[in-house]
Amino acid sequence: EAKQQGRNTWQWYGDEASSLMSEHVEMRLELQEAIREGQFLLHYQPIVDTRTGEVRSVEALVRWQHPEKGMISPGLFIPLAEQTGQIVAIGRWVLQRACQDMARLHAEGGPALPVAVNISPLQFRRAGFLAQVEQVLETTGWPAERLELEVTEGVLMSGTDRAIEVLHALRRRGVQVAIDDFGSGFSSLRYLRQLPISKVKLDRSFIHDITHNGDNAAIVQGVITMAHHLGLKVVAEGIEAPEQQRDLMGRDCDLLQGFLFSRPVPLDRLAGLPTHLPAPRA
Ligand code: C2E
Ligand code: MG
Ligand code: MG
Ligand code: MG
């Protein structure tokens, strides 16, 4: 009976695994086509000053406009693209387009908003990465000081000297670097202290229940206090409720990002957003 069950279990996993595998093969081919045909687009989400609600920068977030399946979110294709290496081509496109969009927005009379671009670990570690950044800055004319790259802690914790050299080179060039999803991995602030970064973005998982979960609230407070000691700004992601905004104001968090202010929107809607989003309520 146990043996029988064991076999069924195996069978079941086998089917599951192979259908997952063929889905991956299919998606890989479709991603190839998407890269060739230019099926990606960018949405932008504002990041606001905690105290004033002033829009300080935007984060570029990629979407895949699939010809039949509609809009596909990055959570569904970025991990695979990272595995297959396709993220390198996608990431290059994202960087170029984000700077180009921001330059255009400014040229058309809009603000010169600093833009944050997510960089995948594979893209960051590639030998040509710095040259790629340089080329994008040159061809778009977008100032380095208004470009911020978001990397996850894993990129830095892999601890290679080369990753750290790249960070220093970016900093010398004037490009800002933020640590994304901070707290979801294992990096310590003590380690971050040695790195030329300007910001940490607190992972959404600490924010969603901050008003009910004392442990998360304590971690958030600790990160903010220590980050400020190290001269780093702190962004809290995933702010959905006024209570969370109030809580983070009280903790002296510098910047906020979340659906409470705005969802990620296409460039043409970004231009229409007010320069100050819902004023903080005390
Ligand atoms: P991330 O960089 O941490 O981006 C923040 C994610 O949180 C975005 O999801 C955003 O839409 C979502 N978000 C923002 N505010 C709220 C909120 O109040 N509530 C909730 N529930 N969610 C909120 P999105 O756009 O689906 O992107 C998911 C992840 O995919 C990103 O997480 C990032 O890791 C990755 N990603 C997105 N675009 C790119 C890209 O161009 N390159 C790379 N390498 N990764 C990307
Ligand atoms: Mg990000
Ligand atoms: Mg993030
Ligand atoms: Mg996140």
Side-chain angles (χ1 to χ4, degrees):
E1 141 97 67
K3 201 171 175 184
Q4 175 92 19
Q5 211 174 344
R7 195 182 297 138
N8 285 341
T9 305
W10 166 249
Q11 187 73 37
W12 190 78
Y13 279 125
D15 285 350
E16 183 89 334
S18 69
S19 87
L20 201 66
M21 198 124 65
S22 62
E23 256 173 53
H24 277 188
V25 169
E26 188 188 325
M27 198 193 265
R28 182 192 177 132
L29 293 174
E30 289 184 335
L31 272 174
Q32 211 48 50
E33 194 171 312
I35 293 166
R36 230 180 19 243
E37 310 276 321
Q39 294 170 4
F40 299 104
L41 53 91
L42 294 184
H43 282 178
Y44 294 95
Q45 187 178 33
I47 297 172
V48 308
D49 185 290
T50 307
R51 265 161 298 278
T52 64
E54 185 188 355
V55 177
R56 286 297 188 81
S57 62
V58 292
E59 179 175 6
L61 295 156
V62 71
R63 275 93 184 84
W64 177 5
Q65 185 64 58
H66 191 287
E68 287 112 41
K69 295 173 190 159
M71 193 97 89
I72 304 179
S73 78
L76 292 174
F77 68 88
I78 294 281
L80 180 70
E82 170 84 21
Q83 272 177 46
T84 62
Q86 291 166 311
I87 190 66
V88 174
I90 298 170
R92 185 188 307 125
W93 179 86
V94 169
L95 190 61
Q96 175 83 27
R97 173 50 71 85
C99 292
Q100 201 175 301
D101 275 355
M102 289 303 125
R104 204 183 83 205
L105 183 68
H106 185 47
E108 288 171 358
L113 280 176
V115 64
V117 175
N118 293 284
I119 302 296
S120 103
L122 190 70
Q123 191 186 1
F124 187 86
R125 292 199 199 100
R126 289 264 301 212
F129 180 64
L130 285 170
Q132 185 185 112
V133 172
E134 191 54 49
Q135 198 220 337
V136 165
L137 293 172
E138 264 170 36
T139 57
T140 61
W142 189 244
E145 293 68 24
R146 296 215 166 93
L147 174 63
E148 182 168 70
L149 304 180
E150 295 190 4
V151 298
T152 51
E153 358 177 17
V155 169
L156 310 172
M157 295 306 285
S158 65
T160 60
D161 293 347
R162 158 128 180 94
I164 293 167
E165 264 170 41
V166 171
L167 285 180
H168 280 284
L170 288 167
R171 172 48 69 87
R172 280 195 302 275
R173 185 62 177 84
V175 174
Q176 311 283 310
V177 177
I179 307 296
D180 205 356
D181 304 332
F182 188 78
S184 61
F186 300 95
S187 51
S188 68
L189 281 162
R190 190 186 158 96
Y191 175 72
L192 290 189
R193 188 180 132 140
Q194 311 160 25
L195 302 177
I197 56 169
S198 51
K199 239 178 231 171
V200 297
K201 297 188 77 173
L202 274 163
D203 195 59
R204 200 164 75 223
S205 59
F206 295 107
I207 306 303
H208 84 277
D209 61 355
I210 190 167
T211 52
H212 306 105
N213 183 324
D215 292 344
N216 279 349
I219 291 169
V220 166
Q221 184 63 69
V223 170
I224 293 171
T225 304
M226 286 187 282
H228 285 171
H229 274 297
L230 301 175
L232 302 173
K233 296 235 187 276
V234 181
V235 187
E237 303 184 308
I239 305 294
E240 295 181 352
E243 301 81 64
Q244 294 168 325
Q245 179 185 15
R246 266 197 301 278
D247 184 290
L248 285 149
M249 273 180 89
R251 297 182 194 284
D252 208 22
C253 184
D254 305 281
L255 298 154
L256 305 176
Q257 177 178 5
F259 296 170
L260 178 65
F261 309 101
S262 170
R263 289 187 175 255
V265 295
L267 187 70
D268 56 339
R269 288 208 12 235
L270 183 64
L273 287 178
T275 56
H276 287 64
L277 291 168
R281 287 178 277 168

